[in-house]
Amino acid sequence: MHRLYFPACPVEGPIDPPVPYGHMGTHGAIPKKCSECNHCFEGGCTRFMDEVQRYMHLDFGPCGIDGPTDPVVYEDKFVVGKVEIPRKCVRCRFLFHDSIYGFTCRKDEEKWGGCYRGLDWGAWSPDRIYLELPHPKLTTKALVDAAHDEDLTGFIAEHRRINPGLSIQEAKADYAHFRDLIFRRKSDKNSNGEQGVDPNA
């Protein structure tokens, strides 16, 4: 689940006042800073689209409920989740599973309406960002791990297993692309804290 939140939004700005927003059947409000940002698109954020190939959650800021935010798998007597959520959210009465957006939060629902706020990961952040290859290529955690571990041989083997028919040269090019993104993110973290890759780079 945290792959929809990281790299974290690097854009500074106010969360309040909420700004009315609607898209298709969804009606509610979004954070003020998101309403003024050119990365806001159809209720999601395109801030790192080139790197992660997916929309990110908008940044609703802290939820105001204290608790640990390290990732755990949600589980109750009816459901065992397939994704991880912040530990403090597991037993929170505001946790909500939406058929489109997955686990979201209904806290301050009177403010945000149907634009459910994302989960609050607090100060926690993953050691590794889940990158994705452009469609129609497939990506797995093993492929991303090989890139992070600088394991070219393992990357090529996994690349060819999940993307049969593609050449070794293309696998090497994708490896070099991932390594460049990882290097850029580490460089940015060293100079800017936990801000991640510059989405405007």
Side-chain angles (χ1 to χ4, degrees):
M1 190 76 189
H2 59 73
R3 70 180 59 180
L4 301 178
Y5 297 84
F6 296 98
C9 175
V11 178
E12 298 291 335
I15 302 297
D16 291 314
V19 176
Y21 185 85
H23 174 64
M24 298 181 73
T26 301
H27 300 282
I30 60 175
K32 179 174 174 56
K33 74 168 189 173
C34 298
S35 73
E36 300 170 345
C37 181
N38 62 358
H39 292 291
C40 182
F41 182 71
E42 296 184 349
C45 180
T46 64
R47 62 184 176 263
F48 296 106
M49 184 63 78
D50 290 343
E51 290 87 353
V52 299
Q53 301 294 315
R54 61 185 177 272
Y55 293 108
M56 310 289 280
H57 268 294
L58 298 181
D59 179 12
F60 285 78
C63 72
I65 297 176
D66 292 331
T69 56
D70 56 304
V72 295
V73 174
Y74 177 83
E75 181 176 354
D76 63 20
K77 62 182 179 180
F78 303 109
V79 176
V80 176
K82 295 181 180 179
V83 297
E84 294 175 319
I85 64 174
R87 186 180 298 275
K88 73 175 185 177
C89 299
V90 172
R91 300 289 175 242
C92 182
R93 65 190 178 95
F94 295 114
L95 183 67
F96 170 70
H97 187 271
D98 181 78
S99 59
I100 297 175
Y101 299 106
F103 285 109
T104 55
C105 177
R106 277 184 162 162
K107 186 173 184 295
D108 304 321
E109 187 174 13
E110 69 285 354
K111 177 193 290 189
W112 305 115
C115 298
Y116 304 118
R117 64 176 299 133
L119 304 181
D120 176 12
W121 290 92
W124 181 88
S125 65
D127 293 331
R128 298 178 171 188
I129 297 300
Y130 189 87
L131 306 168
E132 288 193 35
L133 297 172
H135 182 77
K137 294 179 186 176
L138 299 180
T139 309
T140 62
K141 184 177 183 298
L143 191 75
V144 176
D145 284 344
H148 277 282
D149 294 335
E150 300 183 62
D151 179 7
L152 174 59
T153 301
F155 185 94
I156 291 173
E158 179 67 1
H159 191 284
R160 302 198 74 196
R161 183 187 74 80
I162 62 176
N163 295 290
L166 298 184
S167 68
I168 291 178
Q169 287 73 23
E170 188 159 359
K172 287 182 177 179
D174 286 337
Y175 174 81
H177 175 62
F178 272 14
R179 286 300 308 159
D180 178 61
L181 294 176
I182 292 166
F183 176 78
R184 285 172 53 203
R185 179 169 188 271
K186 286 182 178 178
S187 297
D188 287 344
K189 284 181 68 176
N190 289 339
S191 61
N192 300 321
E194 291 292 327
Q195 297 302 314
V197 187
D198 179 359
N200 298 307

